[in-house]
Amino acid sequence: MMSWALCIWVSLLVTSFTTWVYKWRNPKCSGKLPPGSMGLPLLGETISYFKPNTTSDIQPFIKDRIKKYGPIFKTSIVGIPVIVATDPDFSYFVLNQEGQCFKNWYPDTFTKIFGNQNLATLHGFVYKYLKHMILSLFGHESRKKMLPEIEENVCNKLELWSTQNSTELKDSTASLILDLTAKKLMGLNPGKSSENLRDCFASFVDGLISFPINIPGTAYHKCLEGRERAMKMLRDMLQERRENPRENPSDFFDYVIEELKKEGSLLTEEIALDLMFVLIFASFETTSYSLTLAIKFLSDNPLILERLTEEHEAILRNREDANSGLTWKEYKSMTYTFQFINETARLANLAPGIFRKALIDTQYDGYLIPAGWTVVVCPPAIHLNPDIYEDPLVFDPSRWEGSKYTNASKTFMAFGGGMRFCIGTDFSKLQMAVFLHSLVTKYRWEEISGGNICRSPGLQFPNGYHVKLEKKEI
């Protein structure tokens, strides 16, 4: 009797388990889902997705599934049902349907890292309000006024690096950009405070794209710890400014304090600090990666370096006083430089994925994207697609000659797209252009060590790249 009961119990258990696995691998919906695999129950294909990419090509997880299923496929990552978009038309459709078919969304692990009130999680009027506030700091007129200060800072840093036996470019350029950003946001002059802030972000960045297990010793845990330290510094700085207000307000902290005083203001201290955190990260980390890769590309491509140098030396020759500073007109004339920056951004692929969530059941090309499912737009798969870019792994700024799309298009999403297009794009391009101008006109360099490029998954980390800078004889 006992054996029969046990057999029945085991049969029910196996049947229940088999049914559960079947339902997991074949989600119920009212239409045809894109092809793909949901992987193991609960875990999905998470381990494969987070596997580091040691090549310069598209992440193997994405590339293999494009071959098998096509440019739109389903999967599951950390238990979340996902549609991956590597098709430019579908990607463009998703990014431009925010508030209608899709909303901006990121996993809980992301909000823990960047804050519950960070810019990516806010919607509607609040998002537009913050966007306007940021543009008032980094808009066209503000950038024009910042140009001399940026050039002075760049020249001072390059002068310092030229006195060193070697310079590790990733950390050095990050320090340069942080000094510029911290002064604009917090009125923080270069020194111990900015160094401490940079140290807080170091461990944060190391765990940014990592398996989300919050256990001491893991990269993700170190990432959260780095955020806590950085947020404490920012909170203390804001409190100190509140207690000791300045007579002539000029930076973001001053703006925040004035806004917090207003009755009915949309701005809260939590939103302000999360915004500050994201702005610092987005400005100095992404720009420093791009600058490091830019110098690596110049070192590997002497003909491109020669053409870039010619453009900037022509700017000096056309001046009445060759030693005068860059003007806004000169900056806007840097045609080849902007092509160079775009090509660097295309190959840098700093955004491995752009997340959206379906608000309603949405039909596209015969497939159903169910309400509640996540859609991940994958810019690297578009930027490295040989059907879109000839020889996509080759660094070739001239491919941008005559292009009308210098910031965003269906086939170029280095700075995002839709209404969430990166607000700091033009500020970042300004910093890169000024840096390149001073570098190629005043210095030559040689590689001391080539460093390594680690992509995980899709984000490039150029570490250990050392150069020796030497002043040109003029």
Side-chain angles (χ1 to χ4, degrees):
M1 191 70 180
M2 282 285 292
S3 60
W4 276 106
L6 181 61
C7 286
I8 292 171
W9 184 83
V10 170
S11 297
L12 288 172
L13 186 64
V14 170
T15 301
S16 298
F17 179 76
T18 304
T19 303
W20 176 56
V21 171
Y22 178 82
K23 288 182 177 180
W24 171 269
R25 297 179 69 88
N26 299 274
K28 187 178 179 181
C29 71
S30 59
K32 180 185 175 183
L33 286 169
S37 170
M38 302 302 287
L40 298 171
L42 301 181
L43 186 62
E45 297 189 299
T46 305
I47 294 174
S48 298
Y49 179 76
F50 281 103
K51 187 177 180 181
N53 181 7
T54 55
T55 75
S56 298
D57 205 347
I58 301 168
Q59 179 189 359
F61 175 88
I62 302 293
K63 192 170 186 177
D64 293 345
R65 282 154 184 77
I66 293 173
K67 280 184 182 177
K68 190 172 183 180
Y69 304 119
I72 305 172
F73 60 88
K74 70 176 182 285
T75 184
S76 175
I77 302 169
V78 293
I80 300 169
V82 172
I83 304 291
V84 177
T86 68
D87 174 77
D89 290 319
F90 179 52
S91 300
Y92 185 81
F93 170 77
V94 171
L95 295 179
N96 285 277
Q97 288 291 316
E98 183 166 344
Q100 300 174 58
C101 300
F102 303 94
K103 70 173 182 177
N104 197 57
W105 179 87
Y106 283 87
D108 291 341
T109 52
F110 178 92
T111 56
K112 284 182 181 177
I113 292 172
F114 285 103
N116 293 320
Q117 299 294 324
N118 79 81
L119 200 61
T121 63
L122 299 173
H123 305 276
F125 189 70
V126 177
Y127 172 76
K128 291 177 181 177
Y129 162 78
L130 292 177
K131 184 176 179 179
H132 175 75
M133 186 168 68
I134 297 167
L135 287 174
S136 69
L137 280 169
F138 298 107
H140 180 264
E141 291 304 317
S142 180
R143 294 196 306 275
K144 287 177 73 172
K145 292 176 183 176
M146 292 172 67
L147 177 56
E149 186 178 352
I150 292 173
E151 184 177 22
E152 181 183 6
N153 201 332
V154 166
C155 289
N156 289 340
K157 285 289 186 180
L158 289 172
E159 176 73 27
L160 173 64
W161 298 350
S162 70
T163 65
Q164 300 169 347
N165 291 328
S166 73
T167 300
E168 201 287 311
L169 280 176
K170 173 59 191 64
D171 285 342
S172 298
T173 51
S175 175
L176 162 67
I177 303 301
L178 178 61
D179 287 348
L180 290 168
T181 307
K183 186 166 186 180
K184 183 64 178 174
L185 294 177
M186 300 170 282
L188 195 65
N189 290 315
K192 191 66 177 175
S193 295
S194 61
E195 288 176 14
N196 290 339
L197 192 60
R198 171 77 181 96
D199 290 341
C200 290
F201 272 92
S203 56
F204 167 79
V205 172
D206 289 342
L208 183 57
I209 305 294
S210 60
F211 198 83
I213 298 179
N214 188 14
I215 298 174
T218 63
Y220 183 70
H221 181 77
K222 292 177 182 177
C223 182
L224 294 178
E225 286 186 328
R227 170 183 163 78
E228 287 178 11
R229 291 197 301 272
M231 289 298 287
K232 184 180 185 305
M233 278 195 70
L234 294 175
R235 195 173 288 109
D236 290 345
M237 289 177 188
L238 180 59
Q239 184 58 35
E240 182 181 350
R241 183 70 64 83
R242 275 175 153 171
E243 294 172 357
N244 302 285
R246 300 194 301 185
E247 291 184 9
N248 299 308
S250 60
D251 59 34
F252 184 70
F253 267 169
D254 295 324
Y255 189 97
V256 166
I257 291 169
E258 290 301 313
E259 284 294 303
L260 290 174
K261 289 177 183 177
K262 295 178 181 177
E263 187 176 345
S265 173
L266 293 173
L267 192 67
T268 66
E269 183 173 310
E270 184 183 9
I271 291 176
L273 291 172
D274 279 347
L275 179 60
M276 179 77 73
F277 182 86
V278 169
L279 288 175
I280 293 172
F281 165 76
S283 61
F284 88 91
E285 277 300 333
T286 57
T287 306
S288 62
Y289 285 137
S290 297
L291 279 174
T292 303
L293 286 171
I295 297 172
K296 176 64 176 170
F297 290 142
L298 288 174
S299 299
D300 293 343
N301 298 276
L303 292 179
I304 292 173
L305 171 59
E306 182 180 346
R307 184 170 174 185
L308 187 71
T309 304
E310 285 174 1
E311 177 170 87
H312 288 277
E313 288 183 342
I315 289 174
L316 299 184
R317 286 195 301 270
N318 291 331
R319 287 180 185 168
E320 290 185 10
D321 179 4
N323 295 317
S324 62
L326 266 174
T327 66
W328 190 254
K329 184 178 179 181
E330 289 171 343
Y331 165 66
K332 298 300 286 186
S333 73
M334 298 176 182
T335 305
Y336 187 70
T337 302
F338 293 130
Q339 294 171 11
F340 178 89
I341 290 172
N342 271 357
E343 182 70 347
T344 301
R346 181 185 72 84
L347 286 175
N349 282 313
L350 293 170
I354 303 173
F355 288 69
R356 295 292 185 267
K357 178 165 280 192
L359 294 171
I360 57 174
D361 284 355
T362 303
Q363 292 283 343
Y364 186 88
D365 199 24
Y367 295 128
L368 174 71
I369 294 85
W373 277 50
T374 296
V375 179
V376 179
V377 173
C378 184
I382 295 171
H383 297 157
L384 301 176
N385 185 338
D387 293 331
I388 299 172
Y389 294 97
E390 186 178 350
D391 296 325
L393 297 179
V394 173
F395 183 77
D396 180 16
S398 63
R399 72 170 81 240
W400 296 94
E401 286 179 4
S403 174
K404 296 182 293 182
Y405 305 109
T406 57
N407 277 342
S409 69
K410 290 181 181 180
T411 57
F412 185 55
M413 301 178 180
F415 307 106
M419 68 176 289
R420 297 276 174 170
F421 178 76
C422 178
I423 304 169
T425 296
D426 290 327
F427 179 54
S428 177
K429 286 186 174 184
L430 174 63
Q431 293 176 97
M432 289 187 69
V434 173
F435 180 89
L436 291 169
H437 173 78
S438 297
L439 177 69
V440 300
T441 56
K442 297 178 182 178
Y443 297 89
R444 61 175 60 90
W445 66 92
E446 63 174 310
E447 291 184 348
I448 302 299
S449 65
N452 60 80
I453 304 294
C454 176
R455 300 160 63 90
S456 175
L459 183 61
Q460 298 197 41
F461 293 90
N463 295 316
Y465 183 44
H466 289 78
V467 299
K468 167 62 178 170
L469 233 65
E470 181 182 320
K471 264 193 170 182
K472 290 182 178 179
E473 293 182 9
I474 301 176

